[in-house]
Every structure is written in structure tokens, then in C-alpha cells.
Amino acid sequence: AGHPECDIYSFRRKKKFLKKSYLKNVKLPYILLADDNIDHRNAFITVFDKQIAYATVTAVDDGQSLLAFLAHCGWRDLPSLIILPFQLRDTAAPDLLRELLLDTRYMKIPKIIWSGTGSTREMEECRILGVKHFYKTPEGVFELETNVRQIDDILKAELHLV
């Protein structure tokens, strides 16, 4: 019974995985990056994409865009991590963090703040508002690569991949 040619043919063929309809809805974890400097955004995304394959980056260019983006996210669509500089074009990180504290959906999302100065006052103000990770803005590609490796560790811990 059956056709022997078909059995041999299917045996020798490489296994192919069918694209199932349910896979269309599978979304990689992602970082939400708010930065009004397009060069900083592009550099971060480039280094991140080279080093981290299990997550992506979505970028916005100011604080209001970050808040609007998050407001349109359902529970399951929230980012795994938020990164923003201490000073954005339209707001400072502490003001944005206070806004985020108003919605319980954002409480468990880790936040990373980048500062050009690395000021102790800035760090303390952000820590009081729930930030656990504070970095000096990288000045070159090597510093950025180091920061991305540290962010990778934070993201893996958050996603329970370690």
C-alpha cells in the first residue's frame, strides 16, 4: 500500500517547518527606547541588534510619545524594559517617571536612565522614583557595547532566561 517513491522522497527531503497561523501573533520581547537624538537611537539599535537576537527595540523621540505609546499598549504588549535619557526635549526623566507611577501596568517594567553628567543628585532622584539602573551616556561605540551587554543581563533576568 502507498507509493514507495513518495516514501523515499519524503525521507530524503529536509524537514520544513510550516508557518502556523498562531505564530503570526508571537511577539519578541522588546525594549522601549525614548531618545530625542536620532544618532543615539540609531547607534543603540545597531549595537543592540548585533548583540541580542531574542529581543527588539522600539524607539520614540520624546516623553509624550513614550506616554502615548504605552497608553495604547495592552497588558501583553508592554515592553520588557524602558530606556530613556535623564533629559529629553520635552521633559526630564523624573517627571516622566512620576507619570508612569500613576498607572500600575508600568510599575514592574524596569527602567534604565542615561545621564550625560552621571550626577549623584540625578541618580538619587530617579532611584526614589523606582529606577534601579542608571548609566552615564556612552561616549563611544565601546562604551555603548558595554552598556548593551549590561542591558542584556538585565533583560535576561527580567525574562527569566538566566
Side-chain angles (χ1 to χ4, degrees):
H3 299 286
E5 299 86 31
C6 293
D7 294 337
I8 292 169
Y9 178 71
S10 64
F11 179 76
R12 289 185 184 162
R13 267 179 88 183
K14 288 185 180 180
K15 194 173 192 178
K16 289 188 180 183
F17 295 100
L18 299 175
K19 292 182 180 177
K20 303 281 185 186
S21 60
Y22 62 84
L23 291 178
K24 288 184 212 172
N25 296 326
V26 173
K27 213 169 149 182
L28 288 175
Y30 72 98
I31 289 175
L32 181 56
L33 170 67
D35 198 330
D36 49 16
N37 184 318
I38 193 165
D39 294 330
H40 290 169
R41 281 195 320 255
N42 289 340
F44 179 83
I45 291 168
T46 300
V47 171
F48 187 89
D49 286 347
K50 284 181 185 175
Q51 290 189 20
I52 301 172
Y54 64 88
T56 61
V57 177
T58 298
V60 295
D61 60 0
D62 60 31
Q64 291 308 308
S65 297
L66 180 127
L67 293 173
F69 179 89
L70 289 172
H72 286 95
C73 287
W75 276 96
R76 292 177 184 243
D77 298 325
L78 290 171
S80 300
L81 187 69
I82 296 173
I83 301 174
L84 57 141
F86 185 82
Q87 187 62 53
L88 284 161
R89 155 179 64 228
D90 62 343
T91 190
D95 296 330
L96 205 49
L97 293 167
R98 282 184 197 91
E99 286 284 327
L100 293 175
L101 286 173
L102 297 175
D103 191 328
T104 57
R105 297 181 316 142
Y106 313 140
M107 301 277 269
K108 296 213 179 220
I109 302 171
K111 291 137 195 105
I112 295 175
I113 305 296
W114 279 350
S115 170
T117 66
S119 157
T120 306
R121 181 193 62 76
E122 290 176 357
M123 289 192 318
E124 193 54 37
E125 189 175 6
C126 292
R127 286 192 200 287
I128 289 168
L129 295 168
V131 173
K132 292 186 179 117
H133 308 284
F134 196 92
Y135 298 114
K136 188 167 183 315
T137 304
E139 293 182 19
V141 70
F142 294 116
E143 287 181 20
L144 180 58
E145 287 173 346
T146 300
N147 284 355
V148 168
R149 281 192 293 278
Q150 292 168 340
I151 290 166
D152 181 30
D153 292 339
I154 294 165
L155 195 54
K156 282 179 180 171
E158 181 63 24
L159 297 171
H160 308 289
L161 300 176
V162 286

